[in-house]
Amino acid sequence: MSAQPIHFVAPGDFKQRARVALDDPKLRASFRGAMDFLQGKRASQFPDGEELERLRDLGEAVRQHALARLPELLEQLEAKLTAAGVHVHWAATADEANEVVLGIARAASAQRIIKGKSMASEEIELNHYLAEHNIACIESDMGEYIVQLAGEKPSHIVMPAIHKTRGDIAQLFEQRIPDTHYTEDVDELIQTGRRALRSAFVEADIGLSGVNFAAADTGTLWLVENEGNGRLSTTVPDTHIAIMGIEKVVAKLEHIVPLSSLLTRSATGQAITTYFNLISGPRRAGERDGPRNVHLVLLDNGRTQAYADEQLRATLQCIRCGACMNHCPVYTRIGGHAYGTTYPGPIGKIISPHLLGLDATADLPSASTLCGACGEVCPVRIPIPQLLIRLRTEANRSPDERVAHPLRGQGANYRVTQDLAWRFWSGAFAHPRAYRAFRWLATRMRALTPARQMGWTANRTPLKPAERSLADLLRERGQAE
């Protein structure tokens, strides 16, 4: 298995894919309608602005408190879970996480795995890896099941198949599920999907899930879902494997309550989700159901790079609600697949550079208008626009410059000519005499302005000095410069 970062498409082709998406009126209309609906649903769940801001304050405080004590809380979580009979594994990379899951599957002689929703498993390309080792992974979340049938990846972290219309799904089910007729009736489509999946829960050797939050004080894994597939995946097979990013831990079980309230209301506009699954260990003596073996894989995969930098650490506050995507003017127009990363939209632009490296994601921090909508709706107050500016700075910083916390791929967008241009500009503005001389020359020699001005003229008309500067005009009027 390659040690290179894993992508399902090359993130470096972002601009080309974005152009293709913009030229697809069906996709744009689909996303526009879906995002408008979700924005309205979220707004309806927060009618009291003051209550919303208090809840955001609380959510931010919980996440920052946990991140400030992250190493300590992870050790506490491991100790609690181990004492309860859970096998805890640490994975520094996606490769290591995949190898851990494969080792567990081989030890259990497993051929089939049923999966609840797990973005961490998407991140490490687990399905693809296990398929290469002749182990089938079947998605049980309806959205994930649809994109798996279509041979695609999720385009949204909460609603994986949001890019598909009812007609698309009806056609897909008719073609891929035996004895299924074409229908666009939503209830019938859901029943068809559930019927196809029902036997998979019983036949699976292993159930696999993600983790929304983990409480260090009680050793509890907290899963949020709406369909019940997560509960079946984690209780029916004899072995349950949970995969969790290391940032998901919080200090106390009670701290998860406000986060869950923010998560469901921000994500889908629901007052509360249908299922909360709390897992604290394998089946105990006398219990009639539940897995006999439980494993937890704690995944780093670049998160410690964000953790090491005090400003970038805020990235790890994310609770994966997707509200930033639903309100982003860029995501709304191009959809999730254009990004080429597991996490699209604003949160993907700030976390993917840590998971994959800035060299593989150099265009993503610039794929933003910096309108601030993502930061305004973030339930835990991640300063996404500020983090985007910081990542742009790191992408344009000289790769040879020594900094306290260098990022993987630093200098991915660095150009000597651009660096010289900025140095000249800042030098001219820092020294009044130099600025006046530059201004005098620029207004008199404006005819020599180049038609192509590096990246500026890729999408804009060339900058051209005015015939007379503002200072000249003020002086003519007898006003001070």
Side-chain angles (χ1 to χ4, degrees):
M1 189 67 182
S2 170
Q4 295 299 312
I6 299 171
H7 319 288
F8 66 87
V9 292
D13 296 335
F14 168 76
K15 291 181 179 177
Q16 181 183 350
R17 284 194 302 275
R19 291 190 190 97
V20 172
L22 289 171
D23 289 336
D24 185 342
K26 178 185 171 186
L27 182 142
R28 292 188 63 177
S30 178
F31 269 92
R32 179 74 269 173
M35 297 303 107
D36 285 347
F37 174 73
L38 289 169
Q39 288 177 21
K41 290 269 287 181
R42 176 190 175 275
S44 69
Q45 287 299 325
F46 295 111
D48 184 339
E50 292 185 5
E51 187 259 349
L52 168 60
E53 296 310 313
R54 284 196 297 272
L55 195 53
R56 291 179 76 201
D57 289 341
L58 185 56
E60 179 188 24
V62 167
R63 294 301 297 132
Q64 290 185 346
H65 175 261
L67 291 173
R69 302 172 53 199
L70 186 59
E72 170 196 343
L73 294 183
L74 286 170
E75 290 180 2
Q76 185 182 359
L77 177 68
E78 179 185 29
K80 285 285 183 182
L81 287 172
T82 302
V86 177
H87 304 278
V88 179
H89 311 264
W90 297 81
T93 65
D95 289 351
E96 286 187 17
N98 282 326
E99 289 166 4
V100 167
V101 175
L102 178 63
I104 297 169
R106 282 179 169 166
S109 301
Q111 296 297 314
R112 294 170 66 89
I113 294 178
I114 187 79
K115 275 181 62 187
K117 196 167 185 310
S118 165
M119 291 309 294
S121 69
E122 294 286 345
E123 179 185 323
I124 62 176
E125 291 279 359
L126 181 66
N127 290 9
H128 177 70
Y129 178 86
L130 290 178
E132 289 182 341
H133 294 82
N134 301 315
I135 297 175
C137 242
I138 302 168
E139 300 286 350
S140 63
D141 174 88
M142 191 55 64
E144 294 276 357
Y145 177 64
I146 291 168
V147 293
Q148 186 179 37
L149 275 183
E152 299 175 353
K153 283 289 185 176
S155 60
H156 191 286
I157 62 172
V158 178
M159 291 149 286
I162 200 167
H163 58 289
K164 288 197 171 297
T165 64
R166 279 186 294 177
D168 293 335
I169 297 168
Q171 191 175 39
L172 182 68
F173 279 11
E174 182 187 30
Q175 294 172 348
R176 303 298 303 276
I177 301 178
D179 304 323
T180 300
H181 67 275
Y182 184 93
T183 176
E184 294 188 11
D185 182 87
V186 174
D187 290 338
E188 193 171 345
L189 287 171
I190 292 173
Q191 290 305 319
T192 299
R194 287 180 174 170
R195 190 171 58 251
L197 286 169
R198 184 62 60 179
S199 61
F201 292 106
V202 180
E203 296 168 356
D205 305 299
I206 291 176
L208 192 142
S209 74
V211 178
N212 290 97
F213 307 106
D217 63 335
T218 58
T220 305
L221 307 180
W222 183 296
L223 280 66
V224 178
E225 55 149 339
N226 275 319
E227 300 171 6
N229 59 71
R231 176 160 298 182
L232 287 169
S233 299
T234 58
T235 56
V236 176
D238 271 348
T239 300
H240 170 215
I241 304 173
I243 304 179
M244 165 186 142
I246 56 174
E247 79 280 17
K248 295 292 187 72
V249 67
V250 297
K252 298 182 178 181
L253 186 63
E254 64 194 59
H255 289 177
I256 299 177
V257 177
L259 296 180
S260 292
S261 177
L262 284 166
L263 173 60
T264 58
R265 295 159 78 183
S266 301
T268 54
Q270 293 174 261
I272 189 171
T273 192
T274 309
Y275 294 96
F276 289 121
N277 300 311
L278 280 65
I279 299 168
S280 55
R283 181 192 304 189
R284 294 175 176 80
E287 294 181 342
R288 302 181 62 183
D289 55 17
R292 299 180 190 280
N293 299 291
V294 177
H295 298 261
L296 173 67
V297 181
L298 289 166
L299 177 66
D300 181 340
N301 197 30
R303 288 164 172 81
T304 49
Q305 174 177 277
Y307 176 79
D309 186 286
E310 189 171 349
Q311 182 187 22
L312 298 175
R313 187 181 299 174
T315 306
L316 303 179
Q317 290 173 209
C318 180
I319 59 173
R320 305 289 192 270
C321 69
C324 59
M325 301 176 195
N326 304 343
H327 292 75
C328 174
V330 177
Y331 176 89
T332 301
R333 283 160 179 79
I334 65 174
H337 285 162
Y339 293 84
T341 51
T342 301
Y343 305 98
I347 187 60
K349 295 171 197 170
I350 61 172
I351 196 169
S352 298
H354 301 293
L355 307 184
L356 305 172
L358 264 172
D359 45 352
T361 58
D363 289 331
L364 298 187
S366 299
S368 171
T369 63
L370 295 181
C371 66
C374 50
E376 290 180 11
V377 299
C378 178
V380 289
R381 298 187 189 282
I382 300 175
I384 297 176
Q386 287 78 13
L387 298 183
L388 287 171
I389 293 172
R390 169 68 189 284
L391 290 169
R392 291 181 187 186
T393 302
E394 300 303 330
N396 286 283
R397 189 189 298 280
S398 169
D400 299 324
E401 184 176 340
R402 301 188 66 175
V403 295
H405 300 289
L407 303 188
R408 185 156 51 107
Q410 173 185 311
N413 283 339
Y414 177 78
R415 302 288 182 276
V416 174
T417 51
Q418 181 173 295
D419 186 37
L420 291 174
W422 283 114
R423 287 176 185 274
F424 168 78
W425 191 258
S426 61
F429 272 79
H431 300 88
R433 288 187 178 179
Y435 173 72
R436 291 192 186 97
F438 169 71
R439 186 180 68 199
W440 187 90
L441 281 172
T443 53
R444 269 85 181 162
M445 303 180 73
R446 58 192 295 273
L448 301 178
T449 304
R452 298 183 62 182
Q453 299 168 0
M454 296 189 287
W456 178 263
T457 47
N459 298 295
R460 305 174 181 87
T461 55
L463 294 171
K464 195 169 187 178
E467 292 182 12
R468 304 180 71 77
S469 70
L470 177 62
D472 293 337
L473 295 173
L474 289 173
R475 191 164 47 251
E476 288 174 5
R477 294 178 183 180
Q479 296 176 289
E481 183 176 333

